[in-house]
Amino acid sequence: MERIYFDHSATTPVDKEVAKVMLEYMTEKFGNPSSVHSFGRETRKAVEEARHSVAALLGAAANEIFFTSGGTESDNLALKGIAFANRKKGNHIITTAIEHHAILHACEYLEKQGFTVTYLPVDENAMVSVEDVKNAITDKTILISVMFANNEVGTIQPIKEIGQLAKEKKIYFHTDAVQAVGNCHIDVNELNIDVLSLSGHKIYGPKGIGAIYIRKGVKIESTQHGGSQERKLRPGTENVPGIVGLGKAAELASIELDQRISHLTNLRDKLIKGIQEKISDIKLNGHKEIRLPGNVNISFLYVEGESLLLNLDLKGIAASSGSACTSGSLDPSHVLLAMGLTHEVAHGSLRLSLGRGNTEADINYCLEVLPQILERLRSMSPLNANSKLAANNPCSQCDHH
């Protein structure tokens, strides 16, 4: 059976060039970068080269890049590190209702520590209003954190405008760019970004490695304590294979970025158009144009997203119904609910996130099997007034179901 991977927002395969360089630093070049001998100097050099590669992808300086274990750690360091370092100045943080749980749960923790958090609403396209950000600012606001692009519905936020506003008000601006790095052009100076989180495994690098960009001069403190690695901001022996892997992935992303964006946008638009033409009673989630090149998120009325996923999997197609970090939860997506979708419509959502290895043949195969699956599921659905099950069960449309 053909196997097609449409879940690149959850994770990406490690590029062969990335795996090759990582293996070298696991087996042959294994020194501790803090050691003064040649083995240590060898890995220290590799770590610094990787730092330059990540910086180049963001338009940053190498000394503004710090390596972490991934997006979640970078988000936590950004929020907690800035909050605690600036609490004498103020205790107010602004974020949005559709952030990744790494941001939302860090904010909940900070609320317990005496900080006040404003969770801004979004419109039906999952877009935050710059005016809302402006109106939420108080004289106690020390940080604004707005994700670059949403991991579930792909909407890209007005980052430059929010960054400009934060700059004018002398408030730090952080963006969780885990989904955007490697999929969008990012220049931290042009976009007025002070702090940015990214992750290796979303850009064809390894899992367990990430980075945080921190503009020079930003007042931030470490959230863990130990040795002097990463200039004491993120102590602990460096994950050298992970770091060189991330560096190589960043280098490849810089080279291939335009090509990736073009390829993914074409496939995305073909898939959306095909679904809209072949299937009725659907809703495209996220902004029609201002969205990630590889993101397709659609709600299919009268079906459960889980059933859809399992049936696609049986046909060899791997997709998701939302964030992989909350896939164990039975609650509908907080992102879709924040956009105004009902629980029923949100439960019928499907995310197909495309990657550079996907082809037009993959799209065609999906457009062949998806309508068949939906037709079968809808014919059995108690949510569908025209289904066999509903016809035999007059109560199936009542509130109990």
Side-chain angles (χ1 to χ4, degrees):
M1 183 177 67
E2 196 169 358
R3 289 215 312 163
I4 295 170
Y5 188 74
F6 281 161
D7 201 14
H8 291 83
S9 288
T11 198
T12 58
V14 174
D15 185 279
K16 285 184 171 62
E17 283 188 56
V18 171
K20 186 181 172 188
V21 72
M22 285 180 71
L23 185 62
E24 187 184 352
Y25 282 89
M26 285 178 187
T27 54
E28 297 164 31
K29 300 176 178 178
F30 55 83
N32 187 320
S34 296
S35 299
V36 296
H37 50 60
S38 63
F39 289 82
R41 293 197 304 274
E42 188 174 53
T43 51
R44 166 57 55 204
K45 182 170 180 281
V47 165
E48 295 313 315
E49 284 172 358
R51 202 183 305 280
H52 276 86
S53 296
V54 174
L57 182 59
L58 304 176
N63 64 2
E64 296 175 313
I65 303 297
F66 300 82
F67 294 113
T68 66
S69 64
T72 293
E73 187 189 341
S74 293
D75 283 345
N76 273 265
L77 176 55
L79 266 63
K80 295 172 187 174
I82 289 176
F84 290 130
N86 294 276
R87 67 190 317 171
K88 285 179 182 171
K89 185 183 170 190
N91 69 338
H92 181 231
I93 296 163
I94 298 169
T95 189
T96 80
I98 62 162
E99 298 296 310
H100 189 277
H101 281 109
I103 293 290
L104 296 178
H105 291 166
C107 284
E108 285 169 21
Y109 168 80
L110 288 169
E111 285 180 295
K112 290 173 187 165
Q113 306 301 313
F115 291 88
T116 305
V117 182
T118 298
Y119 300 92
L120 296 175
V122 292
D123 66 14
E124 68 277 9
N125 294 317
M127 188 79 77
V128 70
S129 153
V130 180
E131 198 61 29
D132 282 352
V133 178
K134 187 178 182 180
N135 293 336
I137 294 172
T138 73
D139 58 356
K140 296 284 184 189
T141 307
I142 51 174
L143 175 66
I144 297 168
S145 180
V146 176
M147 66 188 346
F148 200 110
N150 186 262
N151 51 306
E152 292 188 32
V153 299
T155 300
I156 297 169
Q157 301 299 335
I159 295 299
K160 186 175 184 178
E161 293 79 359
I162 296 170
Q164 182 61 39
L165 175 65
K167 188 177 179 182
E168 287 167 9
K169 301 284 186 181
K170 294 183 170 55
I171 297 166
Y172 292 135
F173 177 46
H174 164 256
T175 186
D176 174 344
V178 165
Q179 295 290 337
V181 170
N183 284 311
C184 304
H185 287 281
I186 298 176
D187 184 309
V188 289
N189 295 308
E190 195 182 303
L191 298 172
N192 308 300
I193 297 166
D194 295 312
V195 186
L196 177 148
S197 307
L198 67 92
S199 177
H201 75 109
K202 303 297 167 84
I203 60 167
Y204 307 93
K207 296 170 184 67
I209 188 69
I212 183 169
Y213 152 78
I214 303 170
R215 183 183 295 283
K216 194 178 177 189
V218 168
K219 194 178 176 190
I220 188 168
E221 63 180 51
S222 177
T223 53
Q224 62 189 61
H225 306 92
S228 59
Q229 294 92 346
E230 298 303 289
R231 280 158 287 153
K232 294 187 179 177
L233 190 65
R234 205 286 187 175
T237 300
E238 296 92 342
N239 170 8
V240 179
I243 289 170
V244 296
L246 174 58
K248 175 54 80 171
E251 182 191 319
L252 293 171
S254 292
I255 296 165
E256 299 172 5
L257 191 54
D258 288 328
Q259 181 192 338
R260 285 186 198 178
I261 292 170
S262 171
H263 174 65
L264 292 177
T265 303
N266 288 337
L267 292 184
R268 177 199 72 191
D269 292 348
K270 180 182 170 73
L271 182 55
I272 291 172
K273 186 168 182 281
I275 290 172
Q276 288 172 333
E277 287 173 355
K278 289 171 178 275
I279 302 167
S280 62
D281 296 322
I282 64 166
K283 181 189 183 302
L284 176 66
N285 298 315
H287 199 284
K288 283 188 178 70
E289 285 95 30
I290 310 169
R291 69 188 299 136
L292 287 170
N295 177 285
V296 177
N297 187 305
I298 292 179
S299 290
F300 298 90
L301 273 60
Y302 318 126
V303 295
E304 282 281 333
E306 294 295 317
S307 306
L308 200 48
L309 281 186
L310 293 170
N311 278 273
L312 281 168
D313 194 34
L314 290 170
K315 290 287 187 181
I317 296 173
S320 81
S321 57
S323 169
C325 302
T326 55
S327 60
S329 167
L330 293 174
D331 295 328
S333 153
H334 71 285
V335 174
L336 296 178
L337 295 181
M339 291 163 63
L341 271 68
T342 63
H343 276 62
E344 290 76 17
V345 175
H347 266 307
S349 73
L350 177 72
R351 182 185 71 180
L352 301 157
S353 45
L354 318 178
R356 63 178 193 175
N358 289 131
T359 62
E360 286 211 15
D362 295 343
I363 304 297
N364 293 335
Y365 177 68
C366 182
L367 290 172
E368 182 189 320
V369 301
L370 186 57
Q372 296 167 9
I373 291 170
L374 273 156
E375 190 179 346
R376 193 173 75 254
L377 290 177
R378 282 175 171 173
S379 74
M380 300 184 294
S381 171
L383 301 169
N384 183 2
N386 300 317
S387 75
K388 294 169 194 166
L389 193 60
N392 296 327
N393 182 2
C395 182
S396 68
Q397 298 301 304
C398 78
D399 291 341
H400 298 298
H401 295 263

